[in-house]
Amino acid sequence: MTEKQKNLIVRTVSGALFIAIMVAGIVGNARSFALLFTLITTMSVWEFTGLMNQRGEITVNRFITTAAAGYLFLAMLGFTSGMTPSVVFIPYLLTLIYLLVSELYLQQPDPIGNWAHTMLAQLYVALPFACLNVLAFQTDTASGQTMYNWLLPMALFAFLWLNDTGAYCVGSLLGRHKLFPRISPAKSWEGSVGGAVAVLIAAGVLGYYENLDQCGSLSLVEWLGFGLTVVVFGTWGDLIESLMKRSLGVKDSGNIMPGHGGMLDRFDSSLLAIPAAVVYLYTITLL
């Protein structure tokens, strides 16, 4: 067996295990969802801050920044599920204030850089995962009760995976025109269109079957819009992480997943797709 074949087997096995854990955590119940994404959030922020601390004189407090990110996810879960009032966010805000004020006393060579990278960890990584709770907890208009619903979060990640798979397959066969050659030479316009078509077909099928009883969470057209939103912003999220890695001079953000890199490599698309999906859903609700 060649080294390339071994790598393919390792990549396939780890990828299948990753998807199985994700599906089980999301489809299971609110507790499994909370456990899964609290872990994902903290691991991703820990990885991100580790990368940032490799930049010259940057020193980010990894432990407190990571703990704050985990708390933000749980606070958002408590608030969106109706279990806790908005006061639950106060400890998180106090932690951010501490991270800012502490630079007055640490006498680090680049306090502005430390502030910027600390806040970027919250904005770029922690906040998108926290926003996932908005998709997961929905209030029934008739009863007024807020319940956990796995459909939207699961659909979002399924669309991202399908987009990646479709883009890879179509791009490998038909890719001629580079999408962003300076940032990601392997991506092509043909692949991007192929991935988008695959997602729109899946969104259309899902929307059709979910609305057979006229009680779907989204209409068929809204499901198509949801899928298109995930495709566009997921692609940008992937490219943004590629740009970050090029700026840092690294191939992968980490090595936690054999054959797939780090946490940010696995969730790069979702870091833009999740908040974009939330904005999309709020927009169609207001229209």
Side-chain angles (χ1 to χ4, degrees):
M1 184 180 296
T2 65
E3 190 66 27
K4 186 175 182 180
Q5 290 174 325
K6 290 180 181 179
N7 290 337
L8 179 61
I9 292 174
V10 170
R11 182 179 176 86
T12 301
V13 171
S14 62
L17 182 61
F18 167 76
I19 291 176
I21 292 173
M22 288 288 292
V23 172
I26 296 172
V27 175
N29 52 45
R31 290 182 180 178
S32 63
F33 171 82
L35 177 62
L36 175 65
F37 281 99
T38 301
L39 185 61
I40 289 173
T41 300
T42 53
M43 291 175 67
S44 298
V45 171
W46 182 265
E47 183 179 272
F48 178 83
T49 52
L51 288 171
M52 295 305 107
N53 281 347
Q54 297 175 15
R55 301 199 66 197
E57 298 179 330
I58 299 299
T59 304
V60 176
N61 189 318
R62 295 182 74 185
F63 178 79
I64 295 180
T65 303
T66 301
Y71 183 87
L72 175 63
F73 179 84
L74 292 173
M76 186 70 83
L77 184 146
F79 180 70
T80 55
S81 65
M83 292 188 296
T84 58
S86 57
V87 70
V88 72
F89 292 105
I90 290 180
Y92 175 73
L93 296 175
L94 290 175
T95 303
L96 295 187
I97 292 172
Y98 166 78
L99 289 169
L100 291 171
V101 173
S102 63
E103 289 296 329
L104 293 172
Y105 304 95
L106 294 175
Q107 299 181 359
Q108 297 289 345
D110 188 5
I112 293 179
N114 296 343
W115 285 328
H117 290 85
T118 297
M119 295 304 120
L120 184 60
Q122 302 301 319
L123 178 63
Y124 174 57
V125 185
L127 182 60
F129 285 129
C131 287
L132 195 60
N133 290 292
V134 179
L135 303 180
F137 292 94
Q138 300 169 14
T139 302
D140 183 76
T141 53
S143 64
Q145 290 186 329
T146 301
M147 304 292 292
Y148 174 71
N149 188 340
W150 56 265
L151 182 58
L152 284 175
M154 191 69 259
L156 183 141
F157 284 104
F159 289 167
L160 288 174
W161 300 335
L162 189 57
N163 183 45
D164 287 343
T165 303
Y168 175 78
C169 293
V170 174
S172 299
L173 295 173
L174 305 174
R176 297 293 183 274
H177 303 86
K178 301 300 181 182
L179 183 63
F180 270 90
R182 182 177 67 88
I183 298 172
S184 186
K187 287 182 171 56
S188 66
W189 279 103
E190 292 84 357
S192 295
V193 172
V197 170
V199 170
L200 289 176
I201 291 174
V205 171
L206 178 58
Y208 172 77
Y209 281 104
E210 202 208 2
N211 284 279
L212 286 177
D213 58 359
Q214 305 298 317
C215 295
S217 56
L218 298 176
S219 69
L220 175 59
V221 173
E222 289 170 344
W223 270 115
L224 292 173
F226 183 82
L228 185 60
T229 300
V230 170
V231 167
V232 173
F233 286 89
T235 301
W236 278 339
D238 190 350
L239 291 169
I240 286 172
E241 201 248 356
S242 295
L243 177 61
M244 181 187 74
K245 289 190 295 186
R246 281 187 172 273
S247 300
L248 294 171
V250 297
K251 181 178 182 295
D252 296 318
S253 64
N255 56 8
I256 193 169
M257 287 188 61
H260 291 273
M263 297 298 293
L264 296 176
D265 294 319
R266 283 290 79 205
F267 292 97
D268 51 2
S269 301
S270 61
L271 295 180
L272 245 64
I274 294 170
V278 170
V279 172
Y280 169 77
L281 292 175
Y282 271 111
T283 301
I284 63 175
T285 300
L286 294 173
L287 291 178

